[in-house]
Amino acid sequence: MLSFTRSTLAIADDVSDRRDASDGHSRFGSYLARNAHRLHDDGRPLSAQDFAFAVWRIATAPIMSPGYLRFRPDLHAVTLVPHREDLDRVAIRIDVPLRHHRLAARPDHRLADWQRDVWATADGFTALAEPRHTGRTALLATATLLLPVPDHVLIAPTATEPGWRMTSQAKDAVTALVIWANAHAHLVNDLIEAAR
């Protein structure tokens, strides 16, 4: 069973991956095979950066839903993006919704705010959703945290074809990124709790 904590922003869900695999081995591996065209450069292995982008995209919705990677429900998105203008660098982008009481200067109290989605709660973390349409103007604040990923965290693939080796390397690549994101969970927690 997945379990989120203050030090866990993301989880690679190996238990569900094996349990729900149509091939008996890996559901993620099946999705890698369906998206094999994304996993090589004209028959040559991808760079570590390109491989990270490709396997992260496959491991998450909308390609794989539910994804191999699961994210804490109080986060709106955890994605990989190019780091600034340098397309050869990778950053993890974490979008964190902030309710008005978390802001240093509170806006007009008549503005609608993010609403708690009690149906999207896990381990004490609750998702925030847009308010119901009540005719009120809404101010929805979101903070974006960009975590540059050092090159040593990225894994360069040797495989170019789907199979156990590609699946293993893809899992290693996304797990390394999850570990890097989770190592910075304190930054997200500080952001969320700053106004307490």
Side-chain angles (χ1 to χ4, degrees):
M1 183 70 171
L2 295 178
S3 182
F4 292 105
T5 66
R6 288 178 43 77
S7 61
T8 310
L9 302 176
I11 296 173
D13 190 0
D14 277 312
V15 173
S16 295
D17 185 59
R18 283 189 210 102
R19 182 191 65 221
D20 300 337
S22 59
D23 65 0
H25 299 288
S26 173
R27 184 169 165 263
F28 182 34
S30 296
Y31 276 83
L32 291 167
R34 287 185 211 148
N35 291 275
H37 63 283
R38 299 176 189 265
L39 300 171
H40 62 85
D41 182 15
D42 290 328
R44 293 183 305 278
L46 296 174
S47 68
Q49 292 82 2
D50 288 341
F51 189 62
F53 284 119
V55 296
W56 188 276
R57 173 181 253 168
I58 294 167
T60 58
I63 292 178
M64 190 174 178
S65 184
Y68 173 66
L69 299 179
R70 308 291 174 94
F71 304 107
R72 216 168 74 180
D74 60 333
L75 307 176
H76 269 194
V78 181
T79 57
L80 281 192
V81 296
H83 187 256
R84 303 197 180 171
E85 295 83 33
D86 188 351
L87 298 179
D88 290 337
R89 301 297 312 239
V90 177
I92 298 172
R93 177 183 169 142
I94 304 171
D95 293 330
V96 184
L98 300 176
R99 300 216 39 205
H100 294 170
H101 69 278
R102 300 280 187 231
L103 304 177
R106 292 187 185 175
D108 186 313
H109 71 279
R110 293 170 291 185
L111 294 173
D113 195 359
W114 294 110
Q115 299 297 306
R116 293 170 55 84
D117 182 353
V118 296
W119 299 106
T121 298
D123 303 312
F125 300 99
T126 301
L128 295 177
E130 289 185 13
R132 292 186 181 90
H133 300 288
T134 60
R136 288 173 59 194
T137 300
L139 174 64
L140 305 176
T142 303
T144 298
L145 180 65
L146 287 174
L147 298 174
V149 178
D151 288 339
H152 74 271
V153 171
L154 302 175
I155 294 175
T158 58
T160 58
E161 296 293 324
W164 69 267
R165 196 167 92 193
M166 173 64 76
T167 300
S168 177
Q169 291 174 359
K171 285 185 173 188
D172 289 347
V174 295
T175 297
L177 292 164
V178 162
I179 290 168
W180 184 254
N182 288 342
H184 296 85
H186 65 283
L187 298 174
V188 172
N189 297 331
D190 290 349
L191 183 63
I192 290 171
E193 296 169 359
R196 279 193 181 165

